[in-house]
């Protein structure tokens, strides 16, 4: 198998006195689709936020494409990463949020274009073309001139995905991207994720409560419980055949 | 009717001073508002404390006292000549309202939703890009209505400069009254009318600003 694109090595995270993650070891391979499931408060969001540099691990290492994300070498010693280092390493990572977080003062086309132009310094014409293609792909080509406030929740989330895709990340993180949506809008967003999962070769990490969907697209499922990865394996192994009582109990809440 | 026209033409002589003082002190206050507001958010403790002191002093004392300080006290105490009374009026009003506006600037920046910082980070923006492209443009939209309100207050504040010998609208009103006591009510009605007419465009601009700021901000 190929070298992992992301590695967590004994990663711990506490908020104050509360130990949220208690030793996470995890490999994510290029193009791998990983689903993260687990009870509320088990630390699912925290795991992916540390990879996006939104939360700093208390201890342990996260390696992205061979480079330590949160530490850098300085005069032969490893020290805390500065902003420059973080920016160099996290360029391979993209993220879609539960609450979309579109930029409300920009049109949806501008939302897609601002980072490739300002962050990567890419050619404006090229970025515009690519952004339009992505908006077409998520079914919103005709809305390019609209502001986020003019869109439905499902449309906003599809724009957020297009915006992340235009940056061409190697790893895309999805944090319960359908849980803030009205039930009738969930389908359209899952369709786009399914399309990305089937056709793009980037790795994906999905925190989700959509069990059937996770089973369908994931190569690997992680069951997170009380700050550790309690179960991991293929979707079939974890969701269908696991003997873990807490996992069975957790899953039974989704089956009626 | 003739009286009103006569009074108006007298008051009109002060229009230039009132308007130039308003424009200059508003621009100065906006500038101070941004400088002090951003300094309050700086990582530098000294800068934060120093700006905090400026803000508390100017918000905690009255504009008229500050005006007298700059006009009478500072030149005598320190032998510093701050310039003409026009300049002193602009400095006093600008510093005073700048202190208030800095709180508006600071408050708007910190009230941009945290998700906006996070989305910008996820797109790998630097902290400067994040501020310039994402946070600041949204914060400015939120600031607009308050900037409008404070500009209207500044217009009213300009009337105080008649007390340091500037010939603004109120000054000419006072002159007229002292030579014509029986007309005092009418004179001051026209004075009111003048200030209200000047405030009208500001009131409309503030309404417009409220509409703009309702769009285009994440909450
Ligand atoms: N910034 C923070 N400060 C303090 N505590 C936090 C912070 N972020 C998360 N936590 C706590 O860490 C724990 C794990 O949070 P996290 O959001 O990772 O859980 P989750 O598995 O994503 O839960 P959910 O399914 O509800 O989204 C929770 O107990 C939460 O209260
Ligand atoms: Mg979560």
């Amino acid at each position: 198998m190929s070298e992992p694109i992301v590695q967590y090595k004994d990663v711990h995270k506490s908020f104050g006195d509360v130990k949220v993650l208690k030793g996470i070891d995890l490999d994510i391979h290029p193009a791998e689709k990983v689903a993260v499931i687990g009870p509320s408060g088990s630390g699912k969001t925290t795991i992916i936020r540390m990879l996006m540099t939104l939360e700093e691990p208390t201890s342990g290492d996260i390696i992205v494409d061979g480079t330590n994300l949160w530490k850098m070498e300085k005069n032969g010693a490893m020290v805390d990463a500065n902003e420059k280092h973080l920016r160099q390493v996290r360029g391979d990572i993209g993220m879609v949020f539960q609450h979309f977080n579109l930029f409300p003062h920009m049109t949806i086309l501008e939302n897609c274009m601002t980072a490739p132009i300002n962050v990567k310094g890419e050619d404006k014409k090229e970025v515009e073309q690519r952004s339009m293609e992505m908006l077409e792909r998520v079914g919103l080509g005709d809305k390019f001139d609209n502001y986020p406030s003019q869109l439905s929740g499902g449309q906003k989330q599809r724009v957020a995905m297009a915006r992340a895709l235009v940056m061409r990340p190697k790893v895309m993180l999805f944090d319960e991207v359908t849980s803030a949506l009205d039930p009738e809008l969930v389908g359209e967003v899952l369709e786009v994720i399914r399309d990305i999962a089937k056709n793009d070769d980037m790795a994906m990490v999905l925190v989700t409560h959509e069990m059937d969907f996770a089973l369908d697209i994931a190569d690997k499922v992680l069951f997170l419980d009380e700050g550790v990865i309690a179960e991991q394996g293929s979707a079939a192994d974890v969701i269908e055949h696991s003997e873990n009582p807490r996992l069975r109990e957790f899953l039974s809440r989704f089956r009626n | 009717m003739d009286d009103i026209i006569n009074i108006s033409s007298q008051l009109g002589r002060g229009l230039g001073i009132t308007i130039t003082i308003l424009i200059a002190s508003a621009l100065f206050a906006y500038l101070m508002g941004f400088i002090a507001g951003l300094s309050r958010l700086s990582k530098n403790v000294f800068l934060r404390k120093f700006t905090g002191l400026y803000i508390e002093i100017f918000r905690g004392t009255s504009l008229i006292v500050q005006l007298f300080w700059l006009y009478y006290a500072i030149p005598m105490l320190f032998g510093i000549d701050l310039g003409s009374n026009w300049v002193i009026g602009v400095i006093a009003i600008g510093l005073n309202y700048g202190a208030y506006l800095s709180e508006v600037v600071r408050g708007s920046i910190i009230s941009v939703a945290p998700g906006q910082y996070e989305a910008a980070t996820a797109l790998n923006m630097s902290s400067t890009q994040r501020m310039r492209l994402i946070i600041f443009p949204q914060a400015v939209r939120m600031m607009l209505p308050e900037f409008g309100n404070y500009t209207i207050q500044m217009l009213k504040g300009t009337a105080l400069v008649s007390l340091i010998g500037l010939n603004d609208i109120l000054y000419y009103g006072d002159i007229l009254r002292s030579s014509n006591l029986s007309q005092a009510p009418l004179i001051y009605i026209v004075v009111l009318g003048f200030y209200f007419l000047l405030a009208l465009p500001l009131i409309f601009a503030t309404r417009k600003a409220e509409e703009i700021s309702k769009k285009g901000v994440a909450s």
Side-chain angles (χ1 to χ4, degrees), chain B:
Chain B
M1 199 60 210
D2 277 356
D3 285 345
I4 293 181
I5 291 171
N6 187 30
I7 292 168
S8 298
S9 74
Q10 284 298 312
L11 295 182
R13 292 164 65 193
L15 208 53
I17 288 288
T18 296
I19 291 176
T20 54
I21 289 263
L22 173 65
I23 291 175
S25 54
L27 291 178
F28 184 44
Y30 299 163
L31 184 72
M32 286 308 294
F34 277 105
I35 293 174
L38 292 173
S39 300
R40 287 281 281 167
L41 295 168
S42 147
K43 287 195 186 111
N44 185 319
V45 184
F46 175 77
L47 195 58
R48 272 203 320 266
K49 289 254 150 49
F50 179 77
T51 331
L53 188 69
Y54 151 66
I55 293 169
E56 293 318 326
I57 288 176
F58 276 85
R59 289 200 313 174
T61 61
S62 76
L63 175 55
I64 185 159
V65 176
Q66 292 157 21
L67 199 61
F68 285 177
W69 253 90
L70 290 176
Y71 188 64
Y72 296 111
I74 289 192
M76 274 180 73
L77 279 178
F78 305 106
I80 307 170
D81 184 7
L82 291 168
S84 70
N85 44 8
W86 186 90
V87 172
I88 288 173
V90 167
I91 293 177
I93 298 172
L95 285 177
N96 181 277
Y97 282 93
Y100 287 96
L101 287 173
S102 73
E103 289 293 287
V104 174
V105 170
R106 188 181 76 93
S108 304
I109 288 175
I110 60 178
S111 63
V112 173
Q116 296 291 307
Y117 286 84
E118 298 184 351
T121 305
L123 292 166
N124 206 10
M125 290 186 186
S126 67
S127 47
T128 335
Q129 289 168 336
R130 197 167 59 197
M131 191 56 158
R132 179 169 60 86
L133 300 167
I134 308 301
I135 307 303
F136 203 65
Q138 294 184 57
V140 167
R141 282 171 175 75
M142 280 191 259
M143 291 169 206
L144 286 176
E146 283 296 293
F147 269 62
N149 283 327
Y150 277 114
T151 311
I152 296 169
Q153 288 199 31
M154 266 185 264
L155 167 62
K156 301 185 241 171
T158 59
L160 292 178
V161 298
S162 60
L163 296 171
I164 55 167
L166 276 165
N167 306 344
D168 72 334
I169 294 171
L170 185 62
Y171 170 86
Y172 283 106
D174 285 338
I175 295 283
L176 270 179
R177 182 216 45 192
S178 57
S179 63
N180 206 338
L181 273 178
S182 64
Q183 278 199 334
L186 185 61
I187 292 167
Y188 286 118
I189 285 172
V190 181
V191 169
L192 276 182
F194 261 74
Y195 279 106
F196 185 66
L197 284 179
L198 285 175
L200 265 185
L202 296 175
I203 291 170
F204 281 116
T206 305
R207 291 249 173 86
K208 193 85 202 136
E210 273 161 9
E211 281 166 34
I212 293 172
S213 84
K214 276 200 194 105
K215 290 188 242 158
V217 183
S219 46

Side-chain angles (χ1 to χ4, degrees), chain A residues 8-52:
Chain A
Y8 288 69
K9 293 183 172 171
D10 196 27
V11 174
H12 292 247
K13 174 69 185 175
S14 305
F15 292 103
D17 291 338
V18 186
K19 293 197 170 101
V20 174
L21 296 175
K22 305 165 188 165
I24 299 294
D25 287 284
L26 170 65
D27 286 359
I28 301 166
H29 292 273
E32 193 175 28
K33 319 300 175 202
V34 181
V36 183
I37 61 173
S40 182
S42 57
K44 305 180 296 294
T45 298
T46 307
I47 286 196
I48 59 175
R49 283 171 61 86
M50 290 187 303
L51 181 53
M52 196 64 264

Side-chain angles (χ1 to χ4, degrees), chain A residues 229-253:
Chain A
I229 298 176
E231 236 10 71
Q232 76 175 297
S234 73
D237 283 348
V238 172
I239 296 186
E240 303 293 337
H241 308 305
S242 169
E243 304 287 316
N244 183 323
R246 286 188 59 94
L247 174 56
R248 297 253 61 89
E249 196 264 331
F250 172 73
L251 287 173
S252 69
R253 279 183 261 153

Side-chain angles (χ1 to χ4, degrees), chain A:
Chain A
M1 212 171 180
S2 56
E3 282 293 299
I5 176 92
V6 174
Q7 285 180 289
Y8 288 69
K9 293 183 172 171
D10 196 27
V11 174
H12 292 247
K13 174 69 185 175
S14 305
F15 292 103
D17 291 338
V18 186
K19 293 197 170 101
V20 174
L21 296 175
K22 305 165 188 165
I24 299 294
D25 287 284
L26 170 65
D27 286 359
I28 301 166
H29 292 273
E32 193 175 28
K33 319 300 175 202
V34 181
V36 183
I37 61 173
S40 182
S42 57
K44 305 180 296 294
T45 298
T46 307
I47 286 196
I48 59 175
R49 283 171 61 86
M50 290 187 303
L51 181 53
M52 196 64 264
T53 73
L54 299 175
E55 217 76 76
E56 186 171 355
T58 313
S59 69
D61 294 305
I62 300 177
I63 316 291
V64 179
D65 218 355
T67 310
N68 197 321
L69 175 61
W70 283 100
K71 290 176 191 141
M72 60 180 205
E73 205 183 307
K74 193 177 169 192
N75 307 326
M78 291 305 266
V79 298
D80 287 346
N82 58 16
E83 194 196 20
K84 186 164 166 249
H85 177 87
L86 290 177
R87 289 189 71 206
Q88 265 163 17
V89 184
R90 75 176 175 219
D92 285 339
I93 319 286
M95 183 160 174
V96 184
F97 298 86
Q98 193 172 0
H99 297 285
F100 332 125
N101 300 350
L102 294 182
F103 305 133
H105 58 299
M106 298 180 182
T107 65
I108 69 173
L109 181 60
E110 288 163 352
N111 263 273
C112 295
M113 291 174 60
T114 182
I117 292 173
N118 293 294
V119 175
K120 294 174 134 187
E122 290 185 62
D123 175 63
K124 193 171 171 216
K125 276 268 157 314
E126 212 273 312
V127 171
E128 181 170 346
Q129 196 187 344
R130 204 163 82 222
S131 301
M132 283 306 295
E133 281 166 17
M134 284 304 169
L135 287 172
E136 301 282 352
R137 182 173 176 191
V138 301
L140 293 168
D142 56 331
K143 300 266 192 227
F144 72 95
D145 225 4
N146 285 41
Y147 281 87
S149 58
Q150 299 166 301
L151 305 182
S152 74
Q155 291 173 328
K156 284 182 196 163
Q157 197 58 296
R158 286 187 277 150
V159 174
M161 286 192 260
R163 180 176 72 178
L165 286 171
V166 175
M167 288 295 274
R168 297 176 162 148
K170 291 184 187 159
V171 184
M172 269 266 262
L173 311 174
F174 297 79
D175 187 12
E176 296 198 36
V177 295
T178 56
S179 62
L181 298 176
D182 292 337
E184 71 271 19
L185 302 176
V186 170
E188 66 189 55
V189 172
L190 293 184
E191 268 329 294
V192 174
I193 301 177
R194 195 188 306 273
D195 168 57
I196 302 171
K198 293 274 183 282
N199 297 306
D200 289 37
D201 57 4
M202 68 195 155
M204 291 167 61
V205 182
L206 290 123
V207 172
T208 183
H209 283 144
E210 303 283 338
M211 289 309 145
D212 295 328
F213 182 73
L215 181 64
D216 187 26
I217 69 159
D219 304 311
K220 179 157 84 189
V221 175
L222 308 180
F223 174 59
L224 204 65
D225 190 30
E226 303 194 315
V228 295
I229 298 176
E231 236 10 71
Q232 76 175 297
S234 73
D237 283 348
V238 172
I239 296 186
E240 303 293 337
H241 308 305
S242 169
E243 304 287 316
N244 183 323
R246 286 188 59 94
L247 174 56
R248 297 253 61 89
E249 196 264 331
F250 172 73
L251 287 173
S252 69
R253 279 183 261 153
F254 293 88
R255 298 275 149 87
N256 0 336

